[in-house]
Amino acid sequence: MSGSDYIQWFRSAAPYINAFRKKTFVLVLSGEMVRSDLFENLIHDIALCHHLGIKLVIIHGSRSQIDEQLELHQICSRFHHDIRVTEADTMPVILQAINQVRQTIDARLSMGLPNTPMSGSDISVISGNFVTGMPLGIIDGVDMQYSGKVRDINATAIDQLLDQHVILLSNIGYSRSGEIFNLPAEELATEVACALKAEKLIFFNAEFIKNPLTDQFSTQECEAYLQQEKVSSHFAALLQHAIQAVKKNVKRVHIIDDSLNGGLLQELFTREGAGMMVTNLFYEGLRKASIDDIGGILELIQPLEVAGALIKRSREQLELEINFFHVIEKDGMIIACIASIPDFKSSMAEVACVAVHPDYRNSGFGDQMLTAVELEARKSGLKNLFILTTRTSHWFLEKGFNVGSLDFLPEKKRQTYNENRKSRIMIKALN
Ligand SMILES: CC(C)(COP(=O)(O)OP(=O)(O)OC[C@H]1O[C@@H](n2cnc3c(N)ncnc32)[C@H](O)[C@@H]1OP(=O)(O)O)[C@@H](O)C(=O)NCCC(=O)NCCS
């Protein structure tokens, strides 16, 4: 990377750095990841996230280390529905394996040698009795013994510590009766992320939904994918956790390609990402408009027309164009709208009539609508979006639009361009 490429990349990461500061991310590291060649670099990337002000909870699994320890002790595990039956006499061996993983992560996060990415790092890591577990009980007549599930998370205690410390949790929970239960790390992480209302829950996995058009999926799309596609039981469980987390207020769940060196940073700080994201943020209340929405749209846009921010649209014109509109509805009221009018001859769509009700501004609704419209244009094979704007050019600049000229517009639009209004022409390439 040349010096200027590097500067360009660093600048492009700035909005993400600002957005993530003081937000809570829950990360799941499997036992396999901890012993992979990429682990050391992943630790450096986690440390960087911490130093950028992200509040981190790391939850580790230990399956492969437990397997190894049990084999060393010539103990054969029983599994039921892919869950290990954790027997009382094997518990000391299992806990030894779990502790070993936690100490490895602790040790790596404590590094601070000069001439390494950890130089001057000084991270304080805290573990504790934040997770209450309970027995899974007897399933199909099989006593699962010390295999457990989450009963409660002390989110208040974790939250209070997150400003200063990284929280590291092993895949265990302590019961009210003082016993220790072996928990599945992914399930524990999902519960923790929900209890903390985390900004992000992050899994690493080899399998994720690949779609050349988008890496963002709603819970509904994930559910449909699980119905239609054949996926491994592990990935199906991971998607179910992602769906559950998003439905319970975790804003975004990421599944990052675990074979990629730097996958975490690529997913968090670049537009291209390195895996897939599950979120309903872009979809809640957002839908295609219908003829019944015209009254609500008019109510929303008329004050903006009077103020000169939007060009006047008659009810008749709206009726003709209504199929090109998306709206966001909250509590029965249209609080935002956007139109995207395709011109297939020039492979462009005109974005128009972008409006968010003043009470709902600066909450990302404008951004959500634009993202939806972009996705739709991409799916239709269009190459560019354009908009004519008098007062909002900087907002569109921040969304990846560039200032363009009249020559770029479809001919019909060129002919009707109002020279007196002097609208700025903004263009976004969809490649
Ligand atoms: C422009 C508009 C659609 C943005 O909707 P929104 O839901 O508030 O947008 P988002 O929440 O996604 O983005 C908000 C950010 O954009 C900034 N922003 C809003 N209007 C802006 C403008 N005219 N120029 C530059 N930035 C602007 C906000 O300050 C905020 O920045 P911050 O996150 O750093 O605080 C909304 O302000 C609006 O309806 N404006 C009046 C109608 C209009 O001008 N439409 C455009 C016609 S071309």
Side-chain angles (χ1 to χ4, degrees), residues 17 130 241 243:
I17 295 173
F130 304 111
H241 287 311
I243 293 166

Side-chain angles (χ1 to χ4, degrees), residues 16-178:
Y16 299 103
I17 295 173
N18 289 331
F20 297 160
R21 193 173 300 119
K22 291 196 184 301
K23 299 280 164 49
T24 301
F25 293 9
V26 176
L27 245 84
V28 191
L29 300 185
S30 66
E32 287 83 8
M33 289 215 71
V34 173
R35 46 173 36 153
S36 90
D37 294 342
L38 300 178
F39 179 58
E40 188 137 339
N41 283 337
L42 178 61
I43 285 289
H44 299 160
D45 297 346
I46 289 172
L48 179 60
C49 289
H50 171 72
H51 293 305
L52 289 173
I54 297 171
K55 298 176 175 183
L56 289 174
V57 181
I58 302 171
I59 288 157
H60 75 80
S62 322
R63 188 178 265 228
S64 72
Q65 287 81 357
I66 293 175
D67 286 344
E68 189 182 71
Q69 280 299 323
L70 290 175
E71 202 180 312
L72 272 175
H73 289 80
Q74 294 173 343
I75 301 169
C76 201
S77 270
R78 277 190 304 142
F79 284 83
H80 186 62
H81 291 310
D82 209 24
I83 304 168
R84 190 190 307 274
V85 179
T86 308
E87 283 153 5
D89 53 349
T90 60
M91 202 54 178
V93 178
I94 288 176
L95 286 178
Q96 190 187 344
I98 293 174
N99 285 334
Q100 190 191 347
V101 180
R102 187 176 51 72
Q103 281 160 4
T104 305
I105 300 173
D106 255 342
R108 294 292 171 177
L109 283 171
S110 307
M111 288 191 308
L113 286 181
N115 301 326
T116 72
M118 299 293 281
S119 172
S121 180
D122 199 14
I123 298 176
S124 153
V125 183
I126 291 194
S127 303
N129 63 341
F130 304 111
V131 179
T132 308
M134 60 193 233
L136 269 179
I138 298 169
I139 302 176
D140 309 325
V142 179
D143 185 353
M144 302 303 287
Q145 302 186 41
Y146 288 91
S147 298
K149 57 184 175 183
V150 177
R151 177 170 177 181
D152 189 36
I153 308 284
N154 190 344
T156 315
I158 296 177
D159 221 17
Q160 280 167 359
L161 292 163
L162 272 173
D163 266 335
Q164 306 281 337
H165 313 278
V166 170
I167 305 292
L168 174 60
L169 299 179
S170 299
N171 58 306
I172 50 174
Y174 304 98
S175 75
R176 300 264 193 262
S177 54

